Protein backbone atom coordinates (compact mmCIF):
# COMPACT_ATOMS: atom_id res chain seq x y z
CA UNK A 1 0.00 0.00 0.00
CA UNK A 2 1.44 3.37 -1.05
CA UNK A 3 -0.21 6.59 0.13
CA UNK A 4 0.75 9.92 -1.45
CA UNK A 5 0.80 13.11 0.63
CA UNK A 6 2.06 16.70 0.61
CA UNK A 7 5.62 16.40 1.87
CA UNK A 8 8.20 16.40 3.07
CA UNK A 9 8.14 14.12 6.11
CA UNK A 10 6.77 15.80 9.20
CA UNK A 11 3.95 17.74 7.55
CA UNK A 12 0.39 17.47 8.86
CA UNK A 13 -0.46 15.63 5.65
CA UNK A 14 2.27 13.10 6.49
CA UNK A 15 0.69 12.54 9.89
CA UNK A 16 -2.69 11.95 8.24
CA UNK A 17 -1.13 9.60 5.67
CA UNK A 18 0.45 7.55 8.44
CA UNK A 19 -2.93 7.30 10.16
CA UNK A 20 -4.61 6.11 6.98
CA UNK A 21 -1.83 3.61 6.31
CA UNK A 22 -2.25 2.12 9.78
CA UNK A 23 -6.03 1.97 9.27
CA UNK A 24 -5.72 0.23 5.92
CA UNK A 25 -3.42 -2.37 7.48
CA UNK A 26 -3.07 -4.28 4.23
CA UNK A 27 -1.01 -7.38 4.90
CA UNK A 28 0.77 -9.24 2.16
CA UNK A 29 0.19 -6.42 -0.31
CA UNK A 30 3.83 -5.52 -0.85
CA UNK A 31 5.76 -2.49 0.36
CA UNK A 32 3.75 -0.18 2.65
CA UNK A 33 4.89 3.43 2.58
CA UNK A 34 3.90 7.08 2.60
CA UNK A 35 5.15 8.89 -0.51
CA UNK A 36 5.84 12.66 -0.30
CA UNK A 37 5.07 14.99 -3.21
CA UNK A 38 5.69 18.71 -3.75
CA UNK A 39 2.08 19.86 -4.06
CA UNK A 40 -1.51 18.63 -3.96
CA UNK A 41 -1.77 18.44 -7.75
CA UNK A 42 1.08 15.91 -7.75
CA UNK A 43 -0.63 13.92 -4.97
CA UNK A 44 -3.82 13.65 -7.04
CA UNK A 45 -1.84 12.81 -10.19
CA UNK A 46 0.03 10.02 -8.37
CA UNK A 47 -3.26 8.34 -7.49
CA UNK A 48 -4.76 8.92 -10.95
CA UNK A 49 -1.77 7.33 -12.71
CA UNK A 50 -1.37 4.43 -10.30
CA UNK A 51 1.96 5.62 -8.93
CA UNK A 52 0.27 5.54 -5.52
CA UNK A 53 -2.63 3.42 -4.29
CA UNK A 54 -4.20 6.32 -2.44
CA UNK A 55 -3.66 9.95 -1.47
CA UNK A 56 -4.21 11.89 1.75
CA UNK A 57 -5.43 15.46 1.24
CA UNK A 58 -6.86 18.11 3.59
CA UNK A 59 -10.33 19.22 2.55
CA UNK A 60 -11.41 21.56 5.35
CA UNK A 61 -10.06 23.35 8.40
CA UNK A 62 -12.31 24.35 11.29
CA UNK A 63 -10.86 27.90 11.24
CA UNK A 64 -9.99 28.58 7.60
CA UNK A 65 -12.82 26.65 5.98
CA UNK A 66 -12.53 24.52 2.85
CA UNK A 67 -9.25 23.98 1.01
CA UNK A 68 -10.49 25.36 -2.31
CA UNK A 69 -7.61 24.00 -4.37
CA UNK A 70 -8.38 20.44 -3.32
CA UNK A 71 -12.08 20.82 -4.04
CA UNK A 72 -11.16 21.86 -7.58
CA UNK A 73 -8.64 19.04 -7.96
CA UNK A 74 -11.18 16.43 -6.87
CA UNK A 75 -13.75 17.86 -9.24
CA UNK A 76 -11.37 17.77 -12.21
CA UNK A 77 -10.01 14.28 -11.48
CA UNK A 78 -11.51 11.36 -13.36
CA UNK A 79 -12.49 8.24 -11.41
CA UNK A 80 -11.10 9.33 -8.04
CA UNK A 81 -13.20 9.04 -4.88
CA UNK A 82 -12.87 9.91 -1.21
CA UNK A 83 -13.29 6.69 0.78
CA UNK A 84 -12.23 7.62 4.32
CA UNK A 85 -12.12 10.70 6.53
CA UNK A 86 -9.73 11.57 9.37
CA UNK A 87 -10.09 14.58 11.67
CA UNK A 88 -6.68 15.73 12.88
CA UNK A 89 -6.20 18.13 15.78
CA UNK A 90 -3.89 20.98 14.77
CA UNK A 91 -1.36 22.15 17.36
CA UNK A 92 0.97 24.80 15.94
CA UNK A 93 4.34 25.37 17.62
CA UNK A 94 7.28 27.68 16.96
CA UNK A 95 10.66 26.11 16.13
CA UNK A 96 13.68 28.37 16.48
CA UNK A 97 17.34 28.29 17.43
CA UNK A 98 17.94 27.60 21.08
CA UNK A 99 18.77 30.69 23.13
CA UNK A 100 17.34 33.14 20.58
CA UNK A 101 14.57 35.42 21.87
CA UNK A 102 11.56 35.64 19.55
CA UNK A 103 12.03 39.41 19.38
CA UNK A 104 15.29 38.73 17.50
CA UNK A 105 13.64 36.57 14.83
CA UNK A 106 13.18 38.34 11.50
CA UNK A 107 11.55 35.60 9.39
CA UNK A 108 8.84 33.03 10.09
CA UNK A 109 8.33 30.23 7.56
CA UNK A 110 5.23 28.04 7.23
CA UNK A 111 2.27 27.05 5.09
CA UNK A 112 -0.19 29.87 4.38
CA UNK A 113 -2.94 28.33 6.49
CA UNK A 114 -0.64 27.86 9.48
CA UNK A 115 0.47 31.51 9.29
CA UNK A 116 -3.17 32.65 9.08
CA UNK A 117 -4.23 30.43 11.99
CA UNK A 118 -1.52 31.94 14.21
CA UNK A 119 -2.23 35.53 13.15
CA UNK A 120 -2.92 36.89 16.64
CA UNK A 121 0.34 35.48 18.06
CA UNK A 122 2.38 36.76 15.11
CA UNK A 123 0.80 40.21 15.27
CA UNK A 124 1.25 40.69 19.01
CA UNK A 125 4.48 38.84 19.72
CA UNK A 126 6.37 39.06 16.41
CA UNK A 127 5.04 42.22 14.71
CA UNK A 128 8.27 42.96 12.82
CA UNK A 129 8.96 39.44 11.54
CA UNK A 130 8.56 38.80 7.82
CA UNK A 131 6.10 35.97 7.12
CA UNK A 132 7.39 33.60 4.43
CA UNK A 133 4.84 31.24 2.84
CA UNK A 134 6.02 27.71 1.97
CA UNK A 135 4.34 24.72 0.30
CA UNK A 136 4.03 22.89 3.63
CA UNK A 137 4.88 23.33 7.31
CA UNK A 138 7.69 20.80 6.87
CA UNK A 139 9.25 22.79 4.00
CA UNK A 140 9.08 25.84 6.25
CA UNK A 141 10.95 23.98 8.97
CA UNK A 142 13.71 23.06 6.54
CA UNK A 143 14.10 26.70 5.47
CA UNK A 144 14.26 27.91 9.07
CA UNK A 145 16.87 25.34 10.12
CA UNK A 146 19.07 26.23 7.14
CA UNK A 147 19.58 29.65 8.74
CA UNK A 148 22.26 29.14 11.38
CA UNK A 149 22.13 32.83 12.33
CA UNK A 150 19.03 32.18 14.45
CA UNK A 151 17.08 34.90 12.66
CA UNK A 152 14.59 32.45 11.16
CA UNK A 153 11.85 30.36 12.74
CA UNK A 154 9.08 28.05 11.55
CA UNK A 155 5.54 27.24 12.61
CA UNK A 156 5.07 23.47 12.58
CA UNK A 157 2.99 20.77 14.25
CA UNK A 158 3.72 19.71 17.81
CA UNK A 159 4.48 16.24 16.43
CA UNK A 160 7.63 17.52 14.67
CA UNK A 161 10.62 15.17 14.73
CA UNK A 162 14.28 15.18 13.68
CA UNK A 163 15.14 18.77 14.59
CA UNK A 164 18.68 19.83 13.78
CA UNK A 165 20.97 20.15 16.75
CA UNK A 166 20.58 23.54 18.40
CA UNK A 167 16.92 24.04 17.43
CA UNK A 168 14.02 23.70 19.85
CA UNK A 169 10.23 23.47 19.62
CA UNK A 170 8.17 25.80 21.80
CA UNK A 171 5.85 24.53 24.51
CA UNK A 172 3.04 26.97 23.63
CA UNK A 173 0.28 26.26 21.11
CA UNK A 174 0.25 29.34 18.85
CA UNK A 175 -3.17 28.89 17.23
CA UNK A 176 -5.64 31.73 17.66
CA UNK A 177 -8.26 29.06 18.38
CA UNK A 178 -6.97 26.11 20.41
CA UNK A 179 -9.76 23.80 19.20
CA UNK A 180 -8.40 23.69 15.66
CA UNK A 181 -9.04 20.65 13.46
CA UNK A 182 -8.36 19.70 9.85
CA UNK A 183 -10.46 17.15 7.97
CA UNK A 184 -8.42 14.87 5.69
CA UNK A 185 -9.79 12.56 3.02
CA UNK A 186 -8.24 9.37 1.67
CA UNK A 187 -8.58 9.34 -2.12
CA UNK A 188 -8.57 6.16 -4.22
CA UNK A 189 -9.08 5.36 -7.91
CA UNK A 190 -12.12 3.42 -9.04
CA UNK A 191 -15.78 3.44 -8.05
CA UNK A 192 -15.26 -0.09 -6.71
CA UNK A 193 -13.08 1.41 -3.94
CA UNK A 194 -16.08 3.16 -2.37
CA UNK A 195 -17.07 1.61 0.96
CA UNK A 196 -20.07 -0.70 1.14
CA UNK A 197 -21.67 1.49 3.81
CA UNK A 198 -21.12 5.06 5.01
CA UNK A 199 -22.72 7.88 6.96
CA UNK A 200 -21.56 10.63 4.59
CA UNK A 201 -22.00 11.18 0.86
CA UNK A 202 -19.87 13.86 -0.82
CA UNK A 203 -20.96 15.22 -4.21
CA UNK A 204 -20.97 18.33 -6.38
CA UNK A 205 -23.75 19.88 -8.44
CA UNK A 206 -24.19 22.79 -10.84
CA UNK A 207 -27.64 24.36 -10.78
CA UNK A 208 -29.27 26.01 -13.81
CA UNK A 209 -28.44 29.71 -13.95
CA UNK A 210 -31.91 30.96 -13.05
CA UNK A 211 -33.68 32.33 -9.94
CA UNK A 212 -34.56 29.70 -7.34
CA UNK A 213 -32.44 26.87 -8.78
CA UNK A 214 -30.42 26.41 -5.57
CA UNK A 215 -33.63 26.44 -3.57
CA UNK A 216 -34.96 23.63 -5.77
CA UNK A 217 -31.84 21.58 -5.05
CA UNK A 218 -32.22 22.16 -1.32
CA UNK A 219 -35.87 21.11 -1.55
CA UNK A 220 -34.79 17.81 -3.10
CA UNK A 221 -32.38 17.23 -0.21
CA UNK A 222 -35.04 18.11 2.35
CA UNK A 223 -37.66 16.04 0.53
CA UNK A 224 -35.54 12.91 1.01
CA UNK A 225 -35.12 13.84 4.71
CA UNK A 226 -31.34 14.04 4.30
CA UNK A 227 -29.30 16.19 6.65
CA UNK A 228 -26.89 18.42 4.70
CA UNK A 229 -23.68 18.76 6.76
CA UNK A 230 -21.69 20.98 4.37
CA UNK A 231 -22.40 23.39 1.51
CA UNK A 232 -19.60 25.20 -0.33
CA UNK A 233 -19.70 27.09 -3.62
CA UNK A 234 -16.90 27.49 -6.18
CA UNK A 235 -16.94 29.28 -9.55
CA UNK A 236 -17.26 26.98 -12.57
CA UNK A 237 -14.09 27.26 -14.64
CA UNK A 238 -14.43 29.10 -17.95
CA UNK A 239 -18.14 29.81 -17.30
CA UNK A 240 -18.41 33.25 -15.66
CA UNK A 241 -21.43 33.69 -13.45
CA UNK A 242 -21.97 29.96 -12.83
CA UNK A 243 -21.18 28.21 -9.56
CA UNK A 244 -20.65 24.61 -8.50
CA UNK A 245 -21.89 23.52 -5.09
CA UNK A 246 -19.93 20.99 -3.06
CA UNK A 247 -22.27 19.19 -0.69
CA UNK A 248 -21.72 16.70 2.10
CA UNK A 249 -24.86 14.85 3.21
CA UNK A 250 -25.44 12.57 6.19
CA UNK A 251 -26.61 9.38 4.47
CA UNK A 252 -25.55 5.83 3.69
CA UNK A 253 -24.29 5.12 0.19
CA UNK A 254 -25.80 1.61 0.51
CA UNK A 255 -29.33 2.94 1.08
CA UNK A 256 -31.61 2.46 -1.95
CA UNK A 257 -33.26 5.76 -1.09
CA UNK A 258 -29.92 7.50 -1.53
CA UNK A 259 -29.67 6.13 -5.07
CA UNK A 260 -33.07 7.63 -5.85
CA UNK A 261 -31.97 10.89 -4.23
CA UNK A 262 -28.84 11.10 -6.40
CA UNK A 263 -30.85 10.31 -9.51
CA UNK A 264 -33.30 13.13 -8.73
CA UNK A 265 -30.42 15.56 -8.20
CA UNK A 266 -28.96 14.54 -11.59
CA UNK A 267 -32.28 15.09 -13.32
CA UNK A 268 -32.66 18.60 -11.89
CA UNK A 269 -29.12 19.99 -12.23
CA UNK A 270 -26.76 20.71 -15.12
CA UNK A 271 -24.03 18.56 -13.59
CA UNK A 272 -23.80 16.15 -10.66
CA UNK A 273 -20.68 14.24 -9.65
CA UNK A 274 -20.17 11.81 -6.76
CA UNK A 275 -16.90 12.71 -5.05
CA UNK A 276 -16.88 10.11 -2.31
CA UNK A 277 -18.50 8.27 0.57
CA UNK A 278 -17.05 7.70 4.02
CA UNK A 279 -17.81 7.42 7.71
CA UNK A 280 -17.58 10.53 9.87
CA UNK A 281 -16.81 9.67 13.50
Amino acid sequence: MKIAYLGPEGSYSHLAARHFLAEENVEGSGWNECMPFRNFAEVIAAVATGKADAGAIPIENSLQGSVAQNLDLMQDAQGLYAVKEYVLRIDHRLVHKEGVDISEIGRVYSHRQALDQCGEFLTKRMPFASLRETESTAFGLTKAMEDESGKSAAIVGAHVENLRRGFVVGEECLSDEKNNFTHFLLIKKGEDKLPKTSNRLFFSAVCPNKPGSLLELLKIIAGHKIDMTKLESRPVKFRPGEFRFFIEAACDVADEGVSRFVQEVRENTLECKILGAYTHE
Side-chain angles (χ1 to χ4, degrees):
M1 183 67 168
K2 298 179 179 180
I3 298 182
Y5 71 94
L6 175 64
E9 292 185 8
S11 64
Y12 281 112
S13 289
H14 184 212
L15 202 62
R18 286 166 57 183
H19 170 87
F20 284 131
L21 189 63
E23 263 200 349
E24 291 287 291
N25 193 24
V26 182
E27 296 184 6
S29 62
W31 183 254
N32 290 330
E33 66 172 320
C34 297
M35 303 170 62
F37 289 87
R38 295 177 300 175
N39 52 58
F40 292 126
E42 290 188 357
V43 171
I44 295 294
V47 182
T49 59
K51 189 173 184 178
D53 301 295
I57 62 169
I59 203 69
E60 181 184 68
N61 176 263
S62 58
L63 298 184
Q64 298 299 119
S66 295
V67 183
Q69 179 190 4
N70 287 342
L71 289 176
D72 292 342
L73 286 170
M74 286 191 66
Q75 177 63 38
D76 293 342
Q78 298 299 315
L80 299 191
Y81 298 90
V83 299
K84 285 187 178 181
E85 180 193 52
Y86 174 50
V87 181
L88 174 65
R89 186 184 185 92
I90 304 299
D91 184 356
H92 294 308
R93 304 293 179 95
L94 189 72
V95 169
H96 59 91
K97 197 164 187 181
E98 189 172 15
V100 175
D101 189 83
I102 63 172
S103 63
E104 302 174 56
I105 296 171
R107 293 170 294 276
V108 180
Y109 294 94
S110 197
H111 188 273
R112 178 74 264 163
Q113 286 214 343
L115 294 172
D116 289 344
Q117 291 164 20
C118 300
E120 185 175 345
F121 172 86
L122 293 169
T123 299
K124 291 182 177 179
R125 302 281 298 279
M126 307 181 74
F128 303 110
S130 172
L131 307 183
R132 305 292 179 88
E133 183 178 347
T134 56
E135 291 183 332
S136 71
T137 54
F139 276 123
L141 177 62
T142 299
K143 292 291 292 183
M145 291 193 301
E146 288 174 348
D147 183 1
E148 289 293 339
S149 72
K151 301 297 183 182
S152 297
I155 293 177
V156 299
H159 62 277
V160 65
E161 300 173 348
N162 303 321
L163 293 181
R164 286 188 185 178
R165 186 174 181 179
F167 285 83
V168 295
V169 57
E171 297 181 359
E172 177 186 0
C173 175
L174 309 183
S175 301
D176 297 346
E177 172 55 58
K178 306 308 177 187
N179 290 320
N180 183 7
F181 300 88
T182 294
H183 293 238
F184 284 85
L185 295 178
L186 183 68
I187 310 299
K188 291 185 178 181
K189 185 176 183 180
E191 193 171 0
D192 62 310
K193 299 298 194 304
L194 286 169
K196 300 301 182 185
T197 63
S198 69
N199 63 19
R200 292 290 187 273
L201 180 70
F202 190 31
F203 67 97
S204 65
V206 178
C207 297
N209 193 5
K210 64 180 183 179
S213 61
L214 175 58
L215 178 59
E216 291 303 315
L217 173 59
L218 298 180
K219 283 182 178 179
I220 294 172
I221 296 173
H224 284 267
K225 294 181 169 48
I226 291 175
D227 179 22
M228 185 174 63
T229 54
K230 182 187 305 181
L231 175 64
E232 179 86 8
S233 67
R234 295 282 298 148
V236 177
K237 292 180 180 179
F238 312 118
R239 284 150 59 183
E242 292 191 36
F243 290 85
R244 176 174 285 109
F245 296 95
F246 291 86
I247 299 170
E248 185 188 73
C251 55
D252 188 349
V253 69
D255 190 333
E256 289 185 8
V258 171
S259 296
R260 292 192 295 270
F261 159 68
V262 172
Q263 183 59 34
E264 188 173 351
V265 171
R266 285 186 169 138
E267 291 172 354
N268 289 274
T269 56
L270 300 177
E271 297 176 25
C272 177
K273 181 180 180 181
I274 300 300
L275 299 174
Y278 42 84
T279 297
H280 176 79
E281 300 178 356

